[in-house]
Amino acid sequence: MDAKTLMLLALFHLILLLSPSIINASSTRKIRARKPCKSLVFYFHDIIYNGKNSHNATAVIVGAPAWGNKTILASQNHFGDLVVFDDPITLDNYLHSTPVGRAQGFYIYDKKDIFTAWLGFSFVFNSTEHKGSLNFAGADPLMNKTREISVIGGTGDFFMARGIATLMTDSFEGEVYFRLRTDIKLYECW
Ligand SMILES: *[C@@H]1O[C@H](CO)[C@@H](O)[C@H](O)[C@H]1NC(C)=O
Ligand SMILES: *[C@@H]1O[C@H](CO)[C@@H](O)[C@H](O)[C@H]1NC(C)=O
Ligand SMILES: *[C@@H]1O[C@H](CO)[C@@H](O)[C@H](O)[C@H]1NC(C)=O
Ligand SMILES: *[C@@H]1O[C@H](CO)[C@@H](O)[C@H](O)[C@H]1NC(C)=O
């Protein structure tokens, strides 16, 4: 190897060594500088069908593991249960407030040894304040006081929206009713 090749090699290695720190520094800076362009808080109310409440249930078990059934959430932390819901969304934590939209989608319980779920749903708004939808997806380790899921898009008033929603279980009654507080922070607004 001549001197020129050696120097080029050294330079190449120096760039390789430095590049991760350059990339990291710029990406953390970018995240820190960002502030939400829109913040919204909603509550949604989930009443799971339990064989007796068909008149007010807004969620149903549509899939269960072989050892369970579609009336009662299965043992082993409900692992394998798939629930479809069409829940009212309200601005405060009162179930009987006038809904501003519906939370529509599903959750699956996806771990045997701890309560945890995966959520995929939309907020469908049809009120004077908001028209359109926001789409959510992500893991919900529901034993944690707060957990974050992605806001992956939107339509109408929320055209191209993206952000993060912080979920908090605001209340639950046995395995039939729960209420989730949803703190939405959009980082992309049009
Ligand atoms: C739904 O109706 C049942 C009676 O069938 C009642 O006991 C229950 O409180 C109602 N649930 C909610 C959340 O209002
Ligand atoms: C469903 O399973 C539960 C126990 O997990 C049981 O108590 C209940 O009777 C079952 N219901 C039906 C309709 O099979
Ligand atoms: C939205 O609300 C209006 C007025 O109540 C109603 O006419 C319309 O059908 C609703 N649209 C949807 C998609 O629910
Ligand atoms: C949820 O809680 C568990 C145990 O307290 C913790 O180890 C985990 O990091 C938390 N997960 C999130 C996403 O906050």
Side-chain angles (χ1 to χ4, degrees):
M1 260 188 268
D2 59 14
K4 211 171 136 196
T5 319
L6 263 176
M7 227 162 78
L8 271 176
L9 260 176
L11 196 67
F12 182 66
H13 279 196
L14 195 68
I15 290 169
L16 269 187
L17 274 174
L18 285 178
S19 55
S21 60
I22 293 168
I23 291 165
N24 276 342
S26 66
S27 64
T28 47
R29 220 178 12 248
K30 213 156 134 198
I31 289 166
R32 217 177 288 139
R34 283 199 153 191
K35 286 208 170 68
C37 49
K38 192 170 222 165
S39 302
L40 302 151
V41 178
F42 298 104
Y43 293 83
F44 70 99
H45 309 261
D46 198 65
I47 305 173
I48 306 164
Y49 175 67
N50 65 353
K52 288 174 264 187
N53 59 354
S54 63
H55 65 289
N56 65 1
T58 58
V60 282
I61 304 168
V62 300
W67 60 85
N69 61 45
K70 292 176 190 168
T71 312
I72 306 289
L73 289 164
S75 57
Q76 309 203 57
N77 295 310
H78 311 338
F79 180 66
D81 278 325
L82 163 61
V83 177
V84 170
F85 62 91
D86 173 20
D87 292 343
I89 303 168
T90 57
L91 294 175
D92 56 22
N93 62 4
Y94 187 50
L95 168 63
H96 300 291
S97 297
T98 309
V100 294
R102 311 289 296 185
Q104 299 170 329
F106 66 88
Y107 47 92
I108 49 180
Y109 288 94
D110 55 3
K111 204 164 172 58
K112 257 182 162 176
D113 48 7
I114 189 174
F115 272 122
T116 186
W118 196 90
L119 288 171
F121 64 97
S122 298
F123 275 7
V124 180
F125 295 102
N126 188 19
S127 69
T128 45
E129 294 93 9
H130 306 295
K131 290 211 167 24
S133 67
L134 272 174
N135 301 314
F136 301 80
D140 179 16
L142 45 96
M143 294 314 282
N144 295 43
K145 192 153 177 277
T146 62
R147 49 273 179 195
E148 294 187 326
I149 64 167
S150 311
V151 180
I152 55 173
T155 65
D157 289 354
F158 302 104
F159 177 77
M160 295 288 282
R162 285 210 310 145
I164 289 286
T166 305
L167 303 179
M168 220 174 129
T169 307
D170 191 49
S171 163
F172 66 95
E173 285 163 26
E175 305 214 310
V176 175
Y177 173 76
F178 68 78
R179 180 169 69 230
L180 286 186
R181 182 188 151 105
T182 313
D183 262 292
I184 301 166
K185 289 197 169 35
L186 299 180
Y187 291 85
E188 267 179 44
C189 307
W190 282 57

